[in-house]
Amino acid sequence: MARVHTVQQILQIFIFFTLVLCSITSLVSANRDLNEDNWKEILEGEWMVKFYAPWCPACTALAPAWRELAARAGRSKLSLRTAAVDVTRSPGLSGRFMVTALPTIFHVKDGSFRQYKGPRDVESLLSFVEQARWRQAAAVPGWQAPDSLQMSLVAELFKLSQALRTVHTTLMETYGLPTWGSYLIFAIATIFIGAILGLVLVCVIDLLYPPRRAHKLQLSQAELASARSKPDEEELIAEDIVDDSERAGSDAERHSASDTSSEGGAPSGDARPERTDTPAKCDDDPKAISVGVT
């Protein structure tokens, strides 16, 4: 009898630990910790995602309700799963979702994102899913979706800002630099990096769009040659004009000389005097006689 009693106790303990293990396993599987590597899992199915930080008091107050939500979602017939993002460990995800306040809750349904802005108790969270109240909330537009290209760039900027903040903290706490000293180092580094990037950009532009200096030089030489040839052409034109004027002058002189010779008394060449008949009267002869007078 003692052995039978001992076996029953062992079976009870085994069953108890099995149930505890199953509940812990379901709770862990429901509370999925998201990071930069596995966050795309929420693009399929229905999820409730919480963004939190360990130093946030409101996030700490939400933790019990979130654990209960995960447990009830696992026991219910809903296909709902819960996930959580620690923004201190995954700053890129906070940039993708444009999280500006903590805690922030998103409802995700087959890749469609909606921010939950209702009460943060378990009943309100469950009714938001069971009664499909998420249909009344406006979905995040496509250009602002976490899986878009522009939000990927924003995520990288958030990562860079977090890295710079870590460096700033290290310079002050580890090396004992004052705040202005850390800012001075960042300013010098920014100027130096900007100069390098500007030089690289200029080189790339020159490589893609080379300057047309040779073409401009050829054009300038051609213009210079044409400018030099213009005076010669003008001189030739002037000489032609002078020759034409001289010829015109000589012709005018010839014509004027011939006119003066014809108008004067002295005959020239084959020019003969004209003969005129004038009537004359003689006192002795009563009749009029026509004589030719030269």
Side-chain angles (χ1 to χ4, degrees):
M1 293 295 295
R3 288 183 178 181
V4 174
H5 185 68
T6 303
V7 171
Q8 290 180 351
Q9 288 180 349
I10 293 174
L11 288 175
Q12 290 177 357
I13 293 173
F14 178 76
I15 293 171
F16 175 75
F17 278 108
T18 302
L19 292 175
V20 171
L21 182 62
C22 291
S23 62
I24 292 174
T25 304
S26 63
L27 183 61
V28 171
S29 62
N31 282 306
R32 180 67 168 166
D33 291 329
L34 297 181
N35 52 39
E36 297 288 345
D37 299 326
N38 62 0
W39 74 271
K40 290 187 177 181
E41 294 180 5
I42 63 176
L43 297 178
E44 297 179 358
E46 189 172 12
W47 294 77
M48 292 290 285
V49 184
K50 175 186 71 170
F51 289 82
Y52 73 99
W55 47 263
C56 175
C59 300
T60 305
L62 178 62
W66 196 259
R67 286 194 296 267
E68 187 177 354
L69 173 65
R72 293 179 63 174
R75 293 194 301 266
S76 65
K77 297 180 180 180
L78 297 175
S79 59
L80 177 67
R81 299 183 64 184
T82 60
V85 179
D86 186 355
V87 296
T88 59
R89 295 182 179 180
S90 302
L93 288 182
S94 62
R96 283 184 182 274
F97 286 81
M98 292 300 293
V99 176
T100 57
L102 295 176
T104 298
I105 300 173
F106 277 92
H107 174 267
V108 187
K109 178 72 173 178
D110 296 329
S112 180
F113 300 86
R114 292 174 174 85
Q115 186 174 355
Y116 175 79
K117 298 182 179 180
R120 296 171 183 172
D121 57 279
V122 180
E123 299 298 333
S124 299
L125 291 169
L126 279 177
S127 64
F128 184 79
V129 178
E130 292 175 344
Q131 300 178 13
R133 293 182 180 177
W134 52 268
R135 298 180 186 275
Q136 302 175 1
V140 175
W143 65 270
Q144 201 176 354
D147 55 343
S148 61
L149 177 61
Q150 52 270 23
M151 299 312 296
S152 300
L153 296 177
V154 173
E156 297 299 327
L157 290 177
F158 269 68
K159 290 181 182 179
L160 179 61
S161 64
Q162 185 66 24
L164 293 177
R165 184 176 181 179
T166 303
V167 172
H168 175 67
T169 305
T170 303
L171 290 175
M172 290 193 303
E173 295 181 356
T174 304
Y175 297 97
L177 289 178
T179 305
W180 63 267
S182 178
Y183 287 162
L184 180 61
I185 292 175
F186 277 107
I188 295 173
T190 302
I191 295 172
F192 182 72
I193 294 173
I196 293 177
L197 291 178
L199 180 61
V200 171
L201 183 61
V202 170
C203 293
V204 171
I205 292 175
D206 289 341
L207 181 62
L208 296 178
Y209 303 98
R212 300 179 180 179
R213 295 177 181 175
H215 182 63
K216 291 181 179 180
L217 182 60
Q218 293 177 359
L219 289 178
S220 62
Q221 292 178 354
E223 292 176 355
L224 182 60
S226 63
R228 290 178 178 175
S229 63
K230 284 183 180 179
D232 298 336
E233 295 177 357
E234 292 178 354
E235 290 177 1
L236 292 175
I237 293 172
E239 291 177 358
D240 293 338
I241 293 173
V242 170
D243 293 339
D244 292 339
S245 62
E246 289 177 355
R247 291 174 184 174
S250 61
D251 293 339
E253 290 176 356
R254 290 176 185 176
H255 287 298
S256 63
S258 61
D259 293 340
T260 53
S261 61
S262 61
E263 291 177 357
S268 60
D270 295 334
R272 293 180 180 181
E274 295 180 357
R275 183 176 179 177
T276 60
D277 294 333
T278 58
K281 292 181 180 181
C282 182
D283 294 336
D284 295 335
D285 191 358
K287 295 180 179 179
I289 302 173
S290 176
V291 251
V293 181
T294 60

